[in-house]
Amino acid sequence: MFDRPVRTGLKPILLACVAGVSLLASPALAQSVDSTKLLQLMVAKGLVSQAEADALIAEATVAQPAAKPALPPVPPAGVADGVQTIAYVPAVVRDQIKAELRAELGQQAQAEGWSRPGETPEWTRRLSPYGDLRVRGEGVFMDDGNADIFEDFGAINAGDPQNINDKTPGYVGPPYLNTRENRQRARIRARLGLHAMIDDWISADLRLATGNDTSPISTNQTLGSSEGFGKYQIWLDRASLRLTPVKGLNIDVGRFANPFWTSEILFDDDLNFDGVAVSGQQKLGDRFAVFGTAGAFPIFNTSLDFGSRNAPEGQGGPYESKDKYLLAGQLGLEWQATEKLRVRLAAGYFNFDGVGGEVSKPCQFYEVVCDTDPTRPQFQQFGNTLFPIRNVVANPLDPIGSPENQYFGLVSDFEVLNVRGSAEMALGGGSRVRLDGEYIKNLGLKEGRMRALAVNNLGPTRTIPDPNNTNGTLLVPGTWEGGSEGWATKLTVGKLDLIARGDWNLQFGYRYLESDAVVDGFTDSDFHMGGTNSKGWTAGGAYAFGKSTSIGFRWLSGEEIADAPLSVDKLFIDLQTRF
């Protein structure tokens, strides 16, 4: 009595299951052997009738679409027969890769700033290019009363030695400076630099510049000095690293701008320094601050192959090094006296070690190199007192006509004391008036040595009795008349830095610089003949007719302090811009 109700309840369920399987399965599954046997078993058990089973199979066959042909297997990834095959990447993996890439690029874009419209990548904001361009017209005007007896010692020391024995057969005299003929020329100066902030306390500076030669004090290039509009040279003007380990303390290493507060009578404005400098500044209350700089700078390093066949003592080999250095220190005080008045004072000591000339050991007349040749100046201008440095051994077969090939070194050592001061007052509207003053004294000069060795910077020729002829006289060179001191003053009115259109300034100055107050190779290259042994005044002004673009003029009038008459006037007209 209980079997029939159970069967009656299971039948509909079984029919539904078989129908669901038949409808959801693929045609191959619906018509497979296993499905047919299942239905036949259900018919045999009386669970479904034969008609019901046939209807289910027919319904499943009609409901399913026709079977598609089997797809060929996917080939493995790689290259075969010149065809690149890429393995299939599931969509879920592709979505994960995209999400990770989007997050990584977003973080990089935010860190470097290029995700924000109008902004450059972060590394470009750490680079600051800068530069300037100047076109100059220059006139050099020589006084008619100038003497024409000034040897060009700079050309001699930069080339082959000069034979000073005029009794040698075929003798050729030394080159002389132009002191009589006026000259005019056009010049350009172009400089391009790049300042880079490497870290918040590390920076680098690189600058390229024009220039006629390797002169340390000028980057001027004379137009027309090449052949037929030829190209000009570009020099590495600066290359340095600056470290700022603590606020207010800078360490410069490499080749960099003058780290000292000095004027052009000690160091030319274009002079750069090789070596290392440590500088700092510290406030002392609201009105005072102290500043200072110390450094060591190689001026000249002896060539590694410096030697001769006869060195030393006839054995051959290298000569002793003759390196030259500048060791210097400066300490200063700045005082903000009032809201408009600022005063600065500084004192410095500059020891030019090894720059003085040295007399060589006996050197044969035919020798190409003598042991103290490097003690001559590697670069010089005009003014310092000189003497011949080679101890030449004459040809024993012809002592009178034997050549004496000479180089010339500086007689004096240079230990320069420098004191500088300035007072600057605001006038309103950004204009200022500033008065600068400077005093220099060479503590290394010894007058006895100067009088004994000097061949230039001499007084008038003297007449003395001839010791071998009671009625005769002899002409002898005058005594040394150079000096070891110098001073300068300059007044400036207007804008000290011409930036905006309409900015202007005027300058007037006077200077007095004796022959051996400073090393003539490093001082101002514009005044007089460039160098020392000169006095005179300067006047000039400039006007900005555009942003950081100005036109200006300077008139420089100088004359000699010692030696024969030599007066030189110069006019500069400058058109320049900065960026």
Side-chain angles (χ1 to χ4, degrees):
M1 88 182 267
F2 293 101
D3 292 340
R4 190 169 185 83
V6 173
R7 288 187 178 183
T8 302
L10 287 175
K11 183 177 179 179
I13 297 174
L14 292 173
L15 287 173
C17 290
V18 174
V21 171
S22 301
L23 292 172
L24 295 175
S26 65
L29 178 60
Q31 297 179 6
S32 67
V33 176
D34 292 338
S35 300
T36 302
K37 286 183 178 180
L38 175 60
L39 289 173
Q40 290 176 352
L41 178 60
M42 293 174 66
V43 171
K45 295 294 185 178
L47 297 176
V48 295
S49 66
Q50 185 65 47
E52 290 173 332
D54 292 340
L56 286 172
I57 294 175
E59 184 178 356
T61 303
V62 173
Q64 296 297 331
K68 296 181 180 179
L71 296 174
V74 177
V79 179
D81 298 328
V83 177
Q84 173 72 51
T85 301
I86 301 175
Y88 171 75
V89 180
V92 63
V93 177
R94 295 198 303 269
D95 292 342
Q96 183 179 357
I97 293 174
K98 287 191 291 184
E100 292 176 354
L101 183 60
R102 186 180 297 110
E104 182 178 345
L105 290 177
Q107 293 174 358
Q108 182 179 355
Q110 184 176 4
E112 297 184 2
W114 49 268
S115 65
R116 294 184 287 271
E119 292 192 10
T120 59
E122 183 273 339
W123 65 268
T124 64
R125 298 197 297 275
R126 292 187 283 111
L127 302 179
S128 302
Y130 65 94
D132 64 88
L133 174 63
R134 183 180 71 193
V135 181
R136 166 176 287 181
E138 178 179 338
V140 182
F141 308 100
M142 301 293 185
D143 191 90
D144 292 339
N146 286 348
D148 59 357
I149 61 171
F150 297 95
E151 294 92 344
D152 190 349
F153 291 108
I156 295 172
N157 283 334
D160 294 330
Q162 173 65 39
N163 177 21
I164 63 173
N165 183 8
D166 59 4
K167 298 181 177 60
T168 302
Y171 169 79
V172 177
Y176 287 86
L177 294 170
N178 168 42
T179 59
R180 294 281 182 87
E181 296 296 326
N182 297 338
R183 289 287 185 266
Q184 294 79 39
R185 58 184 175 181
R187 315 187 85 183
I188 61 171
R189 183 187 70 183
R191 301 182 294 194
L192 180 62
L194 183 66
H195 182 77
M197 285 300 302
I198 311 301
D199 202 340
D200 58 358
W201 65 286
I202 303 173
S203 62
D205 186 43
L206 292 172
R207 191 172 78 174
L208 303 177
T210 53
N212 280 342
D213 47 40
T214 60
S215 163
I217 54 169
S218 176
T219 54
N220 287 320
Q221 172 65 58
T222 301
L223 299 181
S225 61
S226 64
E227 298 180 2
F229 295 126
K231 297 183 291 294
Y232 298 124
Q233 292 176 308
I234 295 293
W235 306 88
L236 181 61
D237 191 40
R238 291 180 186 172
S240 67
L241 283 174
R242 166 168 284 189
L243 310 179
T244 309
V246 296
K247 184 179 180 180
L249 178 66
N250 296 319
I251 303 173
D252 292 298
V253 182
R255 180 174 176 82
F256 42 85
N258 179 3
F260 301 99
W261 185 54
T262 58
S263 78
E264 58 193 4
I265 69 168
L266 178 56
F267 296 126
D268 187 274
D269 291 339
D270 287 331
L271 182 68
N272 291 307
F273 283 62
D274 298 342
V276 57
V278 179
S279 57
Q281 182 168 342
Q282 179 64 49
K283 285 189 175 182
L284 302 176
D286 296 333
R287 294 185 177 273
F288 292 93
V290 293
F291 61 92
T293 302
F297 314 94
I299 298 173
F300 171 74
N301 188 266
T302 308
S303 174
L304 293 178
D305 60 357
F306 172 54
S308 171
R309 288 170 297 186
N310 279 15
E313 299 179 359
Q315 302 300 316
Y319 283 125
E320 180 184 356
S321 294
K322 300 295 182 181
D323 300 339
K324 305 176 184 181
Y325 294 90
L326 168 60
L327 306 175
Q330 184 183 55
L331 187 63
L333 175 67
E334 185 173 301
W335 175 36
Q336 191 71 41
T338 67
E339 183 178 348
K340 294 184 177 182
L341 176 62
R342 185 181 68 169
V343 178
R344 274 190 130 200
L345 294 171
Y349 175 75
F350 300 85
N351 182 9
F352 295 85
D353 182 60
V355 300
E358 298 178 13
V359 178
S360 74
K361 295 177 181 178
C363 186
Q364 298 297 322
F365 71 95
Y366 54 80
E367 278 301 306
V368 176
V369 178
C370 298
D371 66 331
T372 62
D373 285 355
T375 66
R376 73 188 191 275
Q378 277 61 49
F379 174 82
Q380 63 187 107
Q381 297 191 85
F382 176 84
N384 284 163
T385 304
L386 302 164
F387 77 110
I389 59 175
R390 284 183 166 185
N391 181 13
V392 178
V393 178
N395 181 0
L397 301 179
D398 184 14
I400 295 178
S402 178
E404 185 179 347
N405 297 318
Q406 282 288 356
Y407 283 125
F408 297 84
L410 303 179
V411 179
S412 178
D413 294 327
F414 287 85
E415 300 175 24
V416 178
L417 173 65
N418 171 260
V419 179
R420 186 184 185 190
S422 73
E424 180 179 314
M425 177 173 287
L427 299 178
S431 295
R432 297 178 178 274
V433 56
R434 185 172 70 187
L435 179 64
D436 289 283
E438 188 162 8
Y439 172 78
I440 286 175
K441 172 71 174 179
N442 179 12
L443 305 177
L445 185 142
K446 298 178 176 58
E447 292 192 9
R449 175 179 170 86
M450 306 299 289
R451 293 192 180 95
L453 298 177
V455 297
N456 62 327
N457 296 326
L458 306 177
T461 301
R462 297 174 296 152
T463 301
I464 63 172
D466 185 348
N468 299 319
N469 183 355
T470 55
N471 296 322
T473 58
L474 295 175
L475 292 177
V476 297
T479 58
W480 177 74
E481 291 187 345
S484 62
E485 294 181 289
W487 59 272
T489 184
K490 182 169 67 174
L491 178 67
T492 305
V493 180
K495 296 290 184 67
L496 303 181
D497 196 10
L498 305 182
I499 299 177
R501 181 177 180 179
D503 289 350
W504 60 272
N505 63 40
L506 295 173
Q507 297 180 353
F508 180 83
Y510 187 87
R511 69 178 66 187
Y512 180 94
L513 192 62
E514 294 180 333
S515 62
D516 298 281
V518 299
V519 178
D520 69 21
F522 301 139
T523 188
D524 184 20
S525 61
D526 292 335
F527 191 79
H528 198 239
M529 299 292 287
T532 63
N533 193 30
S534 60
K535 61 182 179 180
W537 55 271
T538 63
Y543 176 79
F545 59 90
K547 181 179 180 180
S548 298
T549 304
S550 63
I551 186 169
F553 79 96
R554 282 194 300 158
W555 181 268
L556 302 84
S557 181
E559 60 183 14
E560 85 293 340
I561 295 176
D563 218 318
L566 179 55
S567 296
V568 184
D569 293 337
K570 292 183 178 180
L571 173 64
F572 296 135
I573 299 178
D574 294 332
L575 176 64
Q576 58 185 349
T577 188
R578 297 179 303 167
F579 53 91

